[in-house]
């Protein structure tokens, strides 16, 4: 009996030990499992964050807050602010000073209000500019010269040029002697197929004119008149050159087709619902990519964001921004706007065509409007828009930045397919402390497509004649398909990239030449209507990943 009890006791003791050991094992397994799961979740989150892009400050103090930014074919960026803000943080060299009796802030100024950023070294070289470029406009000519028009005060009627040069050059601004026919402030420039530029609108100016003047004079356009709008929400009109050689011009909530050759309105288009979309209630706009695969005919316009009417008139009210986008095919027989909502409300956003033919929406605020002190709640999260996605699936949020960019911010695509982000000054003068201080840092945003396995353009012509066949040699491409896309270098200011366009060339299937290298046969754009003569960035895109661009001259 005792033996039986003893055996039972030993059995129970062994069972308890085994149970305790098993329990401890299970606890440890569960703990390790939780740790593994947490690690995997953390890794997955890190992978997701990596997959949503990344930010890097490349210049800690540019000296100026760039409200106008362009990228040149010398792989530099021209930064431009207004001149009547008093001293900037960037001194002019060798004791050079600007003497201007008309300047409202400083008649003797020894600091720069424009600069060149070398994209290879991230170094800044100050530039000298004499007249006030506040809220001016610009565009590249066919030879790569930047033409810059208008501004405030003594810059109201000025035409300036900048012929870019390499990193060791001394190129600078030139103030021309030929004035604008109508002085302009808050206007928009667009390059035309004949090599001239049209300059559209401006505060109190409801006309268009041409630079250089080509005999067509100035013409009144009712769309850009501001008589019936207390906010003047028709400034910085959205202007896009269409494949039928007409201009799409959008102001406030309305748009027209404009025949620039006869200076007449060819058609009035439907009103876009959702409130005003132009400065000071600015959203943004792009002409979606044109493609040689459909004969360059499928033109669509996208307009996103804006401010609720009244936000500009009531700057302290923090009125919510617009969340909707409108999309229209203006050359259709019966065009109409299709609406969809962005993930976030946004005004003052910049919209950029990326080399993979998606659209980036970046910068801006969720409340208020453009103007000094009007913006609240910066939107630091970029959004990606896929034009070819199904409605309801087109938007994707990306990694946020730590630096708010509101009024007077800019965004430009760079030759390495990243995005240059500069500016932000919601104050009348440079205010380097406090809420939404003047921002002198420059960032580079790397979209999600910047990943290992990028193709490389080994060889492509530097000059493309209209309609000419050519072959590009691509390393590390997809043997089934490689995109060749031409991207212009627009003038970015006040939430609109003037002159922006992306052209998808019609390509044949890649031909293997060995060692992971392929040749791709294609044809240059057929005319200056599709591709106004200029320097473009040629990107090869394989598996959704763009190459470093090669600059090519078209025309």
């Amino acid at each position: 009996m005792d033996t039986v009890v003893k055996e039972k006791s030993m059995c129970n003791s062994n069972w308890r030990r085994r149970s305790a050991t098993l329990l401890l094992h299970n606890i440890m397994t569960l703990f390790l499992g939780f740790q593994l799961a947490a690690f995997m979740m953390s890794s997955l989150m890190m992978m997701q964050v990596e997959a949503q892009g990344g930010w890097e400050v490349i210049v800690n103090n540019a000296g100026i807050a760039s409200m106008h930014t362009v990228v040149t074919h010398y792989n530099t960026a021209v930064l431009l602010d207004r001149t009547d803000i008093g001293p900037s943080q960037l001194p002019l060299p060798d004791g050079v000073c600007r003497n201007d009796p008309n300047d409202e802030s400083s008649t003797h100024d020894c600091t720069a209000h424009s600069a060149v950023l070398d994209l290879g070294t991230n170094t800044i070289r100050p530039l000298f500019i004499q007249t006030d470029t506040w809220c001016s406009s610009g565009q590249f000519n066919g030879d790569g010269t930047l033409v810059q028009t208008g501004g405030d005060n003594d810059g109201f009627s000025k035409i300036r040029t900048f012929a870019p040069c390499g990193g060791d050059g001394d190129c600078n601004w030139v103030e021309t002697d030929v004035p604008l026919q109508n002085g302009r402030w808050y206007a928009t420039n667009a390059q035309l197929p004949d090599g001239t530029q049209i300059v559209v609108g401006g505060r109190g100016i409801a006309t268009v004119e041409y630079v250089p003047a080509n005999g067509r004079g100035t013409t009144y356009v009712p769309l850009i008149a501001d008589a019936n709008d207390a906010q003047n929400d028709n400034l910085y009109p959205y202007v896009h050159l269409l494949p039928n050689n007409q201009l799409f011009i959008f102001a406030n909530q309305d748009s027209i087709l404009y025949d620039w050759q006869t200076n007449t309105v060819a058609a009035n288009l439907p009103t876009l619902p959702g409130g005003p979309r132009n400065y000071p209630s600015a959203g943004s706009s792009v002409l979606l990519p044109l493609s040689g695969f459909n004969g360059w005919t499928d033109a669509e316009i996208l307009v996103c964001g804006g401010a609720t009417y009244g936000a500009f008139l009531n700057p302290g009210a923090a009125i919510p921004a617009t969340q909707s986008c409108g999309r229209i095919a203006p050359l259709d027989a019966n065009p109409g706007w299709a609406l969809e909502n962005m993930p976030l409300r946004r005004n003052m956003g910049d919209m950029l065509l990326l080399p993979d033919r998606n659209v980036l929406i970046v910068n801006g605020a969720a409340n208020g409007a453009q103007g000094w002190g009007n913006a609240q709640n910066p939107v630091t999260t970029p959004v990606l828009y896929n034009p070819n996605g199904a409605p309801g699936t087109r938007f994707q949020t990306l990694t946020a930045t730590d630096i708010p960019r509101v009024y007077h911010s800019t965004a430009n695509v760079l030759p390495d397919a990243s995005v240059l982000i500069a500016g932000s000054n919601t104050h009348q003068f440079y205010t380097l402390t406090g809420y939404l201080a003047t921002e002198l840092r420059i960032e580079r945003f790397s979209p999600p497509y910047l990943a290992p396995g990028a193709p490389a353009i080994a060889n492509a012509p530097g000059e493309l004649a209209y309609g000419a066949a050519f072959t590009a040699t691509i390393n590390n491409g997809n043997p089934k398909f490689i995109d060749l896309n031409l991207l212009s270098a627009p003038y970015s200011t006040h939430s609109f990239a003037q002159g922006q366009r992306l052209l998808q060339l019609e390509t044949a299937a890649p031909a293997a030449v060995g060692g992971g290298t392929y040749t791709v046969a294609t044809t240059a754009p057929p005319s200056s209507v599709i591709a106004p003569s200029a320097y473009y960035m040629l990107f090869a895109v394989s598996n959704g990943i763009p190459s470093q661009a090669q600059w090519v001259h078209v025309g």
Side-chain angles (χ1 to χ4, degrees), residues 49 91 159 193 307 462 495 528 547 553:
V49 168
I159 300 174
S495 304
S528 58
S547 68
H553 183 259

Side-chain angles (χ1 to χ4, degrees), residues 29-65:
T29 300
L30 189 61
F31 175 74
L32 291 173
F34 279 137
Q35 278 196 318
L36 179 61
F39 174 77
M40 291 176 65
M41 181 64 70
S42 174
S43 299
L44 180 59
M45 290 174 66
M46 289 175 63
M47 285 166 46
Q48 287 176 339
V49 168
E50 281 187 3
Q52 293 171 344
W55 292 86
E56 176 190 9
V57 175
I58 61 171
V59 178
N60 280 310
N61 186 347
I64 66 171

